[in-house]
Structures are given as structure tokens and as C-alpha cells.
Amino acid sequence: SPYLKQMSMVTASKLMHLLEAFSTPWFLVANQTNYHLVFFLLEIFNNIIQYQFDGNAHLVYSIIRKRHVFHQLSNLPEDPAMISKPKKRENSGDQMEVAPTSDGGREGREKR
């Protein structure tokens, strides 16, 4: 268990980003031992909150802000068809052109 008197906001954010990356379904099933990474991070969070709560408000704040990560972790899909690596959005060739409107605003329309 780590001993931290005071964690910075940057460190807390980076730890939460690690948890977010490690707890994606496709990462967890990519290797048999990847779940250990999530387990260790959760154990670190638990021990810091339980034993060094004073001075680590940034971690608590980050956990509250990223609570959706914990919700997603508790509702992991079990169906292999539901677990897929997110694909990068491909540009299909459709581009948007911005044209001014009569009221001074802007309107988007597809280029042909």
C-alpha cells in the first residue's frame, strides 16, 4: 500500500486515466492477467482513502468526477460480441462546408 501525505491533482487525474484505460472490456479480455492491473489500482485507491484520507482530497474528487468508470466496471458485458475494441472514426469523404446565413450565423451543409 502506498503512503501519500498529499497527492496532486495531476497525479490523481493520471491514476484515474489509467483506471479508465485498464477497465475497458476489450483491454480486460486482451490478456489473461490484465485484470490484475485494475485490481491493483482499485486496491491503491481503497488504501489511500481508508488510511490517508486527509490530504488526498484530489483523489477523492477525481474518483467522484470519474464515477462513470466505476459504473462501467461494475456492469461489464459478458457477451464476446459486445466486447470489441473501439474503431477509429474513418472519414467517409463527406465534408461539411460552413456557409453564412442571412441572420449572420453559420449553417453547415455537405459538399458534393
Side-chain angles (χ1 to χ4, degrees):
S1 172
Y3 178 76
L4 301 169
K5 287 192 175 214
Q6 186 174 11
M7 182 182 295
S8 71
M9 188 62 174
V10 173
T11 304
S13 295
K14 289 186 185 246
L15 284 172
M16 286 306 301
H17 184 70
L18 274 177
L19 180 66
E20 193 171 12
F22 291 164
S23 64
T24 58
W26 64 268
F27 181 81
L28 288 171
V29 299
N31 190 340
Q32 284 185 327
T33 59
N34 281 354
Y35 73 94
H36 289 289
L37 300 171
V38 175
F39 174 78
F40 292 140
L41 277 172
L42 291 174
E43 189 172 336
I44 288 168
F45 294 154
N46 182 49
N47 289 338
I48 289 172
I49 292 169
Q50 187 173 0
Y51 299 112
Q52 292 106 30
F53 184 78
D54 295 335
N56 288 307
H58 294 300
L59 178 63
V60 175
Y61 177 76
S62 293
I63 288 172
I64 291 170
R65 293 269 307 175
K66 294 279 190 167
R67 65 185 172 272
H68 66 89
V69 174
F70 295 93
H71 292 295
Q72 290 172 351
L73 191 57
S74 68
N75 298 318
L76 281 175
E78 296 177 15
D79 183 21
M82 297 292 292
I83 301 171
S84 63
K85 188 171 181 178
K87 296 177 183 172
K88 290 184 179 178
R89 297 177 80 189
E90 294 180 15
N91 190 355
S92 62
D94 294 337
Q95 295 179 358
M96 295 293 285
E97 177 182 277
V98 178
T101 60
S102 59
D103 63 351
R106 296 203 174 262
E107 176 183 312
R109 61 179 179 211
E110 284 189 34
K111 278 186 176 179
R112 301 256 178 204

